[in-house]
Amino acid sequence: MTTLTRRRADNPHEETWHIYFNDVRIGAIGTRAGLPVHADMEPGTGRRGIAATFEAAREAFETAWSELKPSIADDAFAEWRHDRDWRAEMKAKRARGEKLDSKIRNTLMRCICGTTFDSWKPGPRATIYAAQAGKVYR
């Protein structure tokens, strides 16, 4: 089994450690001022726990993860990676001021004969009308 790793979160108001299995974030362990240590299990099952110390929370987290891990399919990790990468790409596009793909006007269409054409140019219309008249569908 791959070793779990932890990375300190950027939140200056509380001490939080994000827990990773390879490169997928699976949960967090953190303390807040005046509150006990809190262990949050992700993904999907929402397992949570509270411990008196960070070490106790870490041990509880590892125990819960060892129980949860066998029930998670390997392709779920690939799906999470894909989603993470897609979100990062969208965030980078927005930061650069680029339009998202869904916001870019596309006038390309596919004719029933299989030809791709620009719907704003009248050239292929004759082909479409001829194909419709002859009912030539592929």
PDB file of all heavy atoms in Angstrom, residues 93-124:
ATOM      1  N   LYS A  93      -7.161  29.345 -17.654  1.00  0.00           N
ATOM      2  CA  LYS A  93      -7.735  30.088 -18.780  1.00  0.00           C
ATOM      3  C   LYS A  93      -8.390  31.376 -18.294  1.00  0.00           C
ATOM      4  O   LYS A  93      -8.228  32.431 -18.903  1.00  0.00           O
ATOM      5  CB  LYS A  93      -8.769  29.237 -19.527  1.00  0.00           C
ATOM      6  CG  LYS A  93      -8.170  28.257 -20.482  1.00  0.00           C
ATOM      7  CD  LYS A  93      -9.256  27.581 -21.283  1.00  0.00           C
ATOM      8  CE  LYS A  93      -8.653  26.679 -22.341  1.00  0.00           C
ATOM      9  NZ  LYS A  93      -9.664  26.134 -23.245  1.00  0.00           N
ATOM     10  N   ARG A  94      -9.140  31.286 -17.213  1.00  0.00           N
ATOM     11  CA  ARG A  94      -9.787  32.481 -16.663  1.00  0.00           C
ATOM     12  C   ARG A  94      -8.743  33.498 -16.210  1.00  0.00           C
ATOM     13  O   ARG A  94      -8.912  34.698 -16.417  1.00  0.00           O
ATOM     14  CB  ARG A  94     -10.692  32.098 -15.495  1.00  0.00           C
ATOM     15  CG  ARG A  94     -11.957  31.417 -15.919  1.00  0.00           C
ATOM     16  CD  ARG A  94     -12.882  31.195 -14.725  1.00  0.00           C
ATOM     17  NE  ARG A  94     -14.077  30.500 -15.130  1.00  0.00           N
ATOM     18  CZ  ARG A  94     -14.335  29.230 -14.827  1.00  0.00           C
ATOM     19  NH1 ARG A  94     -13.487  28.532 -14.086  1.00  0.00           N
ATOM     20  NH2 ARG A  94     -15.446  28.660 -15.238  1.00  0.00           N
ATOM     21  N   ALA A  95      -7.670  33.019 -15.578  1.00  0.00           N
ATOM     22  CA  ALA A  95      -6.614  33.917 -15.106  1.00  0.00           C
ATOM     23  C   ALA A  95      -5.927  34.639 -16.264  1.00  0.00           C
ATOM     24  O   ALA A  95      -5.529  35.793 -16.133  1.00  0.00           O
ATOM     25  CB  ALA A  95      -5.589  33.132 -14.292  1.00  0.00           C
ATOM     26  N   ARG A  96      -5.822  33.961 -17.414  1.00  0.00           N
ATOM     27  CA  ARG A  96      -5.221  34.585 -18.593  1.00  0.00           C
ATOM     28  C   ARG A  96      -6.208  35.455 -19.353  1.00  0.00           C
ATOM     29  O   ARG A  96      -5.847  36.100 -20.327  1.00  0.00           O
ATOM     30  CB  ARG A  96      -4.674  33.504 -19.535  1.00  0.00           C
ATOM     31  CG  ARG A  96      -3.487  32.736 -18.984  1.00  0.00           C
ATOM     32  CD  ARG A  96      -2.871  31.836 -20.044  1.00  0.00           C
ATOM     33  NE  ARG A  96      -3.802  30.891 -20.607  1.00  0.00           N
ATOM     34  CZ  ARG A  96      -3.915  29.610 -20.263  1.00  0.00           C
ATOM     35  NH1 ARG A  96      -3.144  29.126 -19.309  1.00  0.00           N
ATOM     36  NH2 ARG A  96      -4.783  28.817 -20.846  1.00  0.00           N
ATOM     37  N   GLY A  97      -7.470  35.442 -18.938  1.00  0.00           N
ATOM     38  CA  GLY A  97      -8.493  36.241 -19.602  1.00  0.00           C
ATOM     39  C   GLY A  97      -9.038  35.601 -20.869  1.00  0.00           C
ATOM     40  O   GLY A  97      -9.699  36.269 -21.659  1.00  0.00           O
ATOM     41  N   GLU A  98      -8.791  34.313 -21.061  1.00  0.00           N
ATOM     42  CA  GLU A  98      -9.279  33.613 -22.240  1.00  0.00           C
ATOM     43  C   GLU A  98     -10.721  33.169 -22.030  1.00  0.00           C
ATOM     44  O   GLU A  98     -11.164  32.959 -20.901  1.00  0.00           O
ATOM     45  CB  GLU A  98      -8.431  32.367 -22.518  1.00  0.00           C
ATOM     46  CG  GLU A  98      -6.995  32.665 -22.851  1.00  0.00           C
ATOM     47  CD  GLU A  98      -6.181  31.390 -23.013  1.00  0.00           C
ATOM     48  OE1 GLU A  98      -6.773  30.305 -23.127  1.00  0.00           O
ATOM     49  OE2 GLU A  98      -4.949  31.489 -23.017  1.00  0.00           O
ATOM     50  N   LYS A  99     -11.440  33.020 -23.135  1.00  0.00           N
ATOM     51  CA  LYS A  99     -12.792  32.483 -23.057  1.00  0.00           C
ATOM     52  C   LYS A  99     -12.709  30.966 -22.889  1.00  0.00           C
ATOM     53  O   LYS A  99     -11.817  30.316 -23.424  1.00  0.00           O
ATOM     54  CB  LYS A  99     -13.571  32.790 -24.337  1.00  0.00           C
ATOM     55  CG  LYS A  99     -13.940  34.237 -24.486  1.00  0.00           C
ATOM     56  CD  LYS A  99     -14.797  34.428 -25.718  1.00  0.00           C
ATOM     57  CE  LYS A  99     -15.242  35.869 -25.842  1.00  0.00           C
ATOM     58  NZ  LYS A  99     -16.101  36.071 -27.013  1.00  0.00           N
ATOM     59  N   LEU A 100     -13.676  30.439 -22.167  1.00  0.00           N
ATOM     60  CA  LEU A 100     -13.772  28.988 -22.052  1.00  0.00           C
ATOM     61  C   LEU A 100     -14.287  28.431 -23.374  1.00  0.00           C
ATOM     62  O   LEU A 100     -14.943  29.134 -24.150  1.00  0.00           O
ATOM     63  CB  LEU A 100     -14.704  28.605 -20.912  1.00  0.00           C
ATOM     64  CG  LEU A 100     -14.308  29.111 -19.527  1.00  0.00           C
ATOM     65  CD1 LEU A 100     -15.302  28.629 -18.491  1.00  0.00           C
ATOM     66  CD2 LEU A 100     -12.907  28.667 -19.162  1.00  0.00           C
ATOM     67  N   ASP A 101     -14.006  27.170 -23.639  1.00  0.00           N
ATOM     68  CA  ASP A 101     -14.409  26.559 -24.900  1.00  0.00           C
ATOM     69  C   ASP A 101     -15.910  26.686 -25.147  1.00  0.00           C
ATOM     70  O   ASP A 101     -16.350  26.868 -26.273  1.00  0.00           O
ATOM     71  CB  ASP A 101     -14.010  25.081 -24.930  1.00  0.00           C
ATOM     72  CG  ASP A 101     -12.496  24.907 -24.935  1.00  0.00           C
ATOM     73  OD1 ASP A 101     -11.794  25.878 -25.253  1.00  0.00           O
ATOM     74  OD2 ASP A 101     -12.035  23.792 -24.620  1.00  0.00           O
ATOM     75  N   SER A 102     -16.686  26.600 -24.093  1.00  0.00           N
ATOM     76  CA  SER A 102     -18.144  26.683 -24.238  1.00  0.00           C
ATOM     77  C   SER A 102     -18.620  28.089 -24.596  1.00  0.00           C
ATOM     78  O   SER A 102     -19.757  28.275 -25.012  1.00  0.00           O
ATOM     79  CB  SER A 102     -18.828  26.227 -22.945  1.00  0.00           C
ATOM     80  OG  SER A 102     -18.437  27.061 -21.877  1.00  0.00           O
ATOM     81  N   LYS A 103     -17.759  29.079 -24.447  1.00  0.00           N
ATOM     82  CA  LYS A 103     -18.116  30.467 -24.747  1.00  0.00           C
ATOM     83  C   LYS A 103     -17.629  30.932 -26.122  1.00  0.00           C
ATOM     84  O   LYS A 103     -17.883  32.052 -26.516  1.00  0.00           O
ATOM     85  CB  LYS A 103     -17.539  31.409 -23.682  1.00  0.00           C
ATOM     86  CG  LYS A 103     -18.018  31.119 -22.288  1.00  0.00           C
ATOM     87  CD  LYS A 103     -19.492  31.380 -22.152  1.00  0.00           C
ATOM     88  CE  LYS A 103     -19.946  31.130 -20.727  1.00  0.00           C
ATOM     89  NZ  LYS A 103     -21.373  31.227 -20.575  1.00  0.00           N
ATOM     90  N   ILE A 104     -16.916  30.059 -26.833  1.00  0.00           N
ATOM     91  CA  ILE A 104     -16.400  30.402 -28.152  1.00  0.00           C
ATOM     92  C   ILE A 104     -17.409  29.958 -29.209  1.00  0.00           C
ATOM     93  O   ILE A 104     -17.779  28.785 -29.271  1.00  0.00           O
ATOM     94  CB  ILE A 104     -15.033  29.734 -28.404  1.00  0.00           C
ATOM     95  CG1 ILE A 104     -14.013  30.241 -27.381  1.00  0.00           C
ATOM     96  CG2 ILE A 104     -14.552  29.997 -29.819  1.00  0.00           C
ATOM     97  CD1 ILE A 104     -12.690  29.516 -27.415  1.00  0.00           C
ATOM     98  N   ARG A 105     -17.849  30.918 -30.009  1.00  0.00           N
ATOM     99  CA  ARG A 105     -18.832  30.616 -31.045  1.00  0.00           C
ATOM    100  C   ARG A 105     -18.210  29.693 -32.087  1.00  0.00           C
ATOM    101  O   ARG A 105     -17.121  29.927 -32.583  1.00  0.00           O
ATOM    102  CB  ARG A 105     -19.304  31.898 -31.705  1.00  0.00           C
ATOM    103  CG  ARG A 105     -20.235  31.666 -32.845  1.00  0.00           C
ATOM    104  CD  ARG A 105     -20.694  32.962 -33.435  1.00  0.00           C
ATOM    105  NE  ARG A 105     -22.147  32.955 -33.388  1.00  0.00           N
ATOM    106  CZ  ARG A 105     -22.899  34.008 -33.294  1.00  0.00           C
ATOM    107  NH1 ARG A 105     -22.362  35.190 -33.221  1.00  0.00           N
ATOM    108  NH2 ARG A 105     -24.191  33.904 -33.279  1.00  0.00           N
ATOM    109  N   ASN A 106     -18.928  28.653 -32.432  1.00  0.00           N
ATOM    110  CA  ASN A 106     -18.464  27.695 -33.426  1.00  0.00           C
ATOM    111  C   ASN A 106     -19.571  27.504 -34.447  1.00  0.00           C
ATOM    112  O   ASN A 106     -20.673  27.086 -34.108  1.00  0.00           O
ATOM    113  CB  ASN A 106     -18.113  26.371 -32.756  1.00  0.00           C
ATOM    114  CG  ASN A 106     -17.498  25.392 -33.718  1.00  0.00           C
ATOM    115  OD1 ASN A 106     -17.419  25.624 -34.914  1.00  0.00           O
ATOM    116  ND2 ASN A 106     -17.044  24.278 -33.182  1.00  0.00           N
ATOM    117  N   THR A 107     -19.275  27.808 -35.697  1.00  0.00           N
ATOM    118  CA  THR A 107     -20.285  27.695 -36.755  1.00  0.00           C
ATOM    119  C   THR A 107     -20.065  26.456 -37.627  1.00  0.00           C
ATOM    120  O   THR A 107     -20.730  26.302 -38.638  1.00  0.00           O
ATOM    121  CB  THR A 107     -20.265  28.956 -37.634  1.00  0.00           C
ATOM    122  OG1 THR A 107     -18.962  29.104 -38.202  1.00  0.00           O
ATOM    123  CG2 THR A 107     -20.635  30.192 -36.817  1.00  0.00           C
ATOM    124  N   LEU A 108     -19.146  25.591 -37.214  1.00  0.00           N
ATOM    125  CA  LEU A 108     -18.917  24.370 -37.985  1.00  0.00           C
ATOM    126  C   LEU A 108     -20.049  23.385 -37.766  1.00  0.00           C
ATOM    127  O   LEU A 108     -20.533  23.200 -36.652  1.00  0.00           O
ATOM    128  CB  LEU A 108     -17.590  23.730 -37.604  1.00  0.00           C
ATOM    129  CG  LEU A 108     -16.335  24.517 -37.958  1.00  0.00           C
ATOM    130  CD1 LEU A 108     -15.098  23.748 -37.525  1.00  0.00           C
ATOM    131  CD2 LEU A 108     -16.282  24.812 -39.452  1.00  0.00           C
ATOM    132  N   MET A 109     -20.457  22.753 -38.840  1.00  0.00           N
ATOM    133  CA  MET A 109     -21.527  21.752 -38.795  1.00  0.00           C
ATOM    134  C   MET A 109     -21.112  20.562 -39.650  1.00  0.00           C
ATOM    135  O   MET A 109     -20.191  20.652 -40.454  1.00  0.00           O
ATOM    136  CB  MET A 109     -22.832  22.337 -39.322  1.00  0.00           C
ATOM    137  CG  MET A 109     -23.356  23.499 -38.517  1.00  0.00           C
ATOM    138  SD  MET A 109     -24.888  24.146 -39.188  1.00  0.00           S
ATOM    139  CE  MET A 109     -26.014  22.858 -38.752  1.00  0.00           C
ATOM    140  N   ARG A 110     -21.810  19.469 -39.500  1.00  0.00           N
ATOM    141  CA  ARG A 110     -21.555  18.294 -40.316  1.00  0.00           C
ATOM    142  C   ARG A 110     -22.769  18.046 -41.197  1.00  0.00           C
ATOM    143  O   ARG A 110     -23.893  17.940 -40.737  1.00  0.00           O
ATOM    144  CB  ARG A 110     -21.285  17.066 -39.465  1.00  0.00           C
ATOM    145  CG  ARG A 110     -20.960  15.830 -40.304  1.00  0.00           C
ATOM    146  CD  ARG A 110     -20.604  14.634 -39.468  1.00  0.00           C
ATOM    147  NE  ARG A 110     -19.458  14.850 -38.608  1.00  0.00           N
ATOM    148  CZ  ARG A 110     -18.182  14.736 -38.995  1.00  0.00           C
ATOM    149  NH1 ARG A 110     -17.905  14.431 -40.233  1.00  0.00           N
ATOM    150  NH2 ARG A 110     -17.214  14.927 -38.152  1.00  0.00           N
ATOM    151  N   CYS A 111     -22.510  17.946 -42.493  1.00  0.00           N
ATOM    152  CA  CYS A 111     -23.547  17.676 -43.489  1.00  0.00           C
ATOM    153  C   CYS A 111     -23.986  16.216 -43.362  1.00  0.00           C
ATOM    154  O   CYS A 111     -23.236  15.366 -42.858  1.00  0.00           O
ATOM    155  CB  CYS A 111     -22.984  17.947 -44.889  1.00  0.00           C
ATOM    156  SG  CYS A 111     -24.121  17.529 -46.219  1.00  0.00           S
ATOM    157  N   ILE A 112     -25.180  15.922 -43.840  1.00  0.00           N
ATOM    158  CA  ILE A 112     -25.650  14.541 -43.800  1.00  0.00           C
ATOM    159  C   ILE A 112     -24.824  13.622 -44.688  1.00  0.00           C
ATOM    160  O   ILE A 112     -24.831  12.416 -44.514  1.00  0.00           O
ATOM    161  CB  ILE A 112     -27.144  14.445 -44.180  1.00  0.00           C
ATOM    162  CG1 ILE A 112     -27.390  15.048 -45.552  1.00  0.00           C
ATOM    163  CG2 ILE A 112     -27.997  15.101 -43.127  1.00  0.00           C
ATOM    164  CD1 ILE A 112     -28.814  14.882 -46.049  1.00  0.00           C
ATOM    165  N   CYS A 113     -24.076  14.219 -45.633  1.00  0.00           N
ATOM    166  CA  CYS A 113     -23.183  13.418 -46.473  1.00  0.00           C
ATOM    167  C   CYS A 113     -21.853  13.152 -45.779  1.00  0.00           C
ATOM    168  O   CYS A 113     -21.019  12.416 -46.289  1.00  0.00           O
ATOM    169  CB  CYS A 113     -22.955  14.090 -47.824  1.00  0.00           C
ATOM    170  SG  CYS A 113     -21.971  15.603 -47.728  1.00  0.00           S
ATOM    171  N   GLY A 114     -21.635  13.770 -44.604  1.00  0.00           N
ATOM    172  CA  GLY A 114     -20.414  13.545 -43.839  1.00  0.00           C
ATOM    173  C   GLY A 114     -19.405  14.670 -43.932  1.00  0.00           C
ATOM    174  O   GLY A 114     -18.411  14.667 -43.213  1.00  0.00           O
ATOM    175  N   THR A 115     -19.629  15.652 -44.763  1.00  0.00           N
ATOM    176  CA  THR A 115     -18.708  16.767 -44.933  1.00  0.00           C
ATOM    177  C   THR A 115     -18.888  17.785 -43.806  1.00  0.00           C
ATOM    178  O   THR A 115     -20.003  18.132 -43.452  1.00  0.00           O
ATOM    179  CB  THR A 115     -18.970  17.483 -46.280  1.00  0.00           C
ATOM    180  OG1 THR A 115     -18.909  16.528 -47.334  1.00  0.00           O
ATOM    181  CG2 THR A 115     -17.966  18.584 -46.523  1.00  0.00           C
ATOM    182  N   THR A 116     -17.770  18.255 -43.258  1.00  0.00           N
ATOM    183  CA  THR A 116     -17.817  19.313 -42.246  1.00  0.00           C
ATOM    184  C   THR A 116     -17.695  20.650 -42.969  1.00  0.00           C
ATOM    185  O   THR A 116     -16.878  20.801 -43.870  1.00  0.00           O
ATOM    186  CB  THR A 116     -16.671  19.162 -41.243  1.00  0.00           C
ATOM    187  OG1 THR A 116     -16.781  17.882 -40.618  1.00  0.00           O
ATOM    188  CG2 THR A 116     -16.716  20.247 -40.184  1.00  0.00           C
ATOM    189  N   PHE A 117     -18.536  21.619 -42.600  1.00  0.00           N
ATOM    190  CA  PHE A 117     -18.528  22.917 -43.272  1.00  0.00           C
ATOM    191  C   PHE A 117     -18.864  24.019 -42.291  1.00  0.00           C
ATOM    192  O   PHE A 117     -19.369  23.770 -41.201  1.00  0.00           O
ATOM    193  CB  PHE A 117     -19.522  22.917 -44.441  1.00  0.00           C
ATOM    194  CG  PHE A 117     -20.955  22.792 -44.002  1.00  0.00           C
ATOM    195  CD1 PHE A 117     -21.740  23.916 -43.816  1.00  0.00           C
ATOM    196  CD2 PHE A 117     -21.513  21.548 -43.759  1.00  0.00           C
ATOM    197  CE1 PHE A 117     -23.055  23.808 -43.396  1.00  0.00           C
ATOM    198  CE2 PHE A 117     -22.823  21.429 -43.339  1.00  0.00           C
ATOM    199  CZ  PHE A 117     -23.602  22.561 -43.156  1.00  0.00           C
ATOM    200  N   ASP A 118     -18.608  25.252 -42.702  1.00  0.00           N
ATOM    201  CA  ASP A 118     -18.933  26.432 -41.915  1.00  0.00           C
ATOM    202  C   ASP A 118     -20.325  26.888 -42.313  1.00  0.00           C
ATOM    203  O   ASP A 118     -20.571  27.230 -43.462  1.00  0.00           O
ATOM    204  CB  ASP A 118     -17.916  27.542 -42.180  1.00  0.00           C
ATOM    205  CG  ASP A 118     -18.075  28.724 -41.245  1.00  0.00           C
ATOM    206  OD1 ASP A 118     -19.167  28.875 -40.657  1.00  0.00           O
ATOM    207  OD2 ASP A 118     -17.118  29.490 -41.100  1.00  0.00           O
ATOM    208  N   SER A 119     -21.234  26.897 -41.370  1.00  0.00           N
ATOM    209  CA  SER A 119     -22.639  27.203 -41.676  1.00  0.00           C
ATOM    210  C   SER A 119     -22.849  28.651 -42.118  1.00  0.00           C
ATOM    211  O   SER A 119     -23.895  28.993 -42.640  1.00  0.00           O
ATOM    212  CB  SER A 119     -23.522  26.911 -40.466  1.00  0.00           C
ATOM    213  OG  SER A 119     -23.164  27.753 -39.383  1.00  0.00           O
ATOM    214  N   TRP A 120     -21.859  29.512 -41.920  1.00  0.00           N
ATOM    215  CA  TRP A 120     -22.008  30.907 -42.333  1.00  0.00           C
ATOM    216  C   TRP A 120     -21.584  31.122 -43.786  1.00  0.00           C
ATOM    217  O   TRP A 120     -21.733  32.194 -44.314  1.00  0.00           O
ATOM    218  CB  TRP A 120     -21.202  31.813 -41.420  1.00  0.00           C
ATOM    219  CG  TRP A 120     -21.879  32.011 -40.099  1.00  0.00           C
ATOM    220  CD1 TRP A 120     -22.719  31.162 -39.457  1.00  0.00           C
ATOM    221  CD2 TRP A 120     -21.766  33.149 -39.263  1.00  0.00           C
ATOM    222  NE1 TRP A 120     -23.133  31.669 -38.273  1.00  0.00           N
ATOM    223  CE2 TRP A 120     -22.556  32.911 -38.123  1.00  0.00           C
ATOM    224  CE3 TRP A 120     -21.067  34.334 -39.346  1.00  0.00           C
ATOM    225  CZ2 TRP A 120     -22.677  33.820 -37.094  1.00  0.00           C
ATOM    226  CZ3 TRP A 120     -21.194  35.237 -38.304  1.00  0.00           C
ATOM    227  CH2 TRP A 120     -21.985  34.982 -37.200  1.00  0.00           C
ATOM    228  N   LYS A 121     -21.048  30.074 -44.397  1.00  0.00           N
ATOM    229  CA  LYS A 121     -20.636  30.172 -45.801  1.00  0.00           C
ATOM    230  C   LYS A 121     -21.639  29.387 -46.642  1.00  0.00           C
ATOM    231  O   LYS A 121     -21.922  28.228 -46.338  1.00  0.00           O
ATOM    232  CB  LYS A 121     -19.230  29.623 -45.982  1.00  0.00           C
ATOM    233  CG  LYS A 121     -18.198  30.447 -45.230  1.00  0.00           C
ATOM    234  CD  LYS A 121     -16.811  29.911 -45.413  1.00  0.00           C
ATOM    235  CE  LYS A 121     -15.815  30.762 -44.615  1.00  0.00           C
ATOM    236  NZ  LYS A 121     -14.471  30.226 -44.667  1.00  0.00           N
ATOM    237  N   PRO A 122     -22.186  29.974 -47.692  1.00  0.00           N
ATOM    238  CA  PRO A 122     -23.273  29.350 -48.439  1.00  0.00           C
ATOM    239  C   PRO A 122     -22.865  28.176 -49.320  1.00  0.00           C
ATOM    240  O   PRO A 122     -23.729  27.454 -49.790  1.00  0.00           O
ATOM    241  CB  PRO A 122     -23.807  30.492 -49.306  1.00  0.00           C
ATOM    242  CG  PRO A 122     -22.661  31.422 -49.460  1.00  0.00           C
ATOM    243  CD  PRO A 122     -21.872  31.308 -48.198  1.00  0.00           C
ATOM    244  N   GLY A 123     -21.609  27.921 -49.561  1.00  0.00           N
ATOM    245  CA  GLY A 123     -21.154  26.886 -50.490  1.00  0.00           C
ATOM    246  C   GLY A 123     -21.774  25.514 -50.305  1.00  0.00           C
ATOM    247  O   GLY A 123     -22.325  24.935 -51.238  1.00  0.00           O
ATOM    248  N   PRO A 124     -21.728  24.915 -49.130  1.00  0.00           N
ATOM    249  CA  PRO A 124     -22.203  23.547 -48.958  1.00  0.00           C
ATOM    250  C   PRO A 124     -23.720  23.383 -48.973  1.00  0.00           C
ATOM    251  O   PRO A 124     -24.218  22.272 -48.997  1.00  0.00           O
ATOM    252  CB  PRO A 124     -21.654  23.133 -47.608  1.00  0.00           C
ATOM    253  CG  PRO A 124     -20.891  24.261 -47.078  1.00  0.00           C
ATOM    254  CD  PRO A 124     -21.042  25.424 -47.967  1.00  0.00           C
TER     255      PRO A 124
END
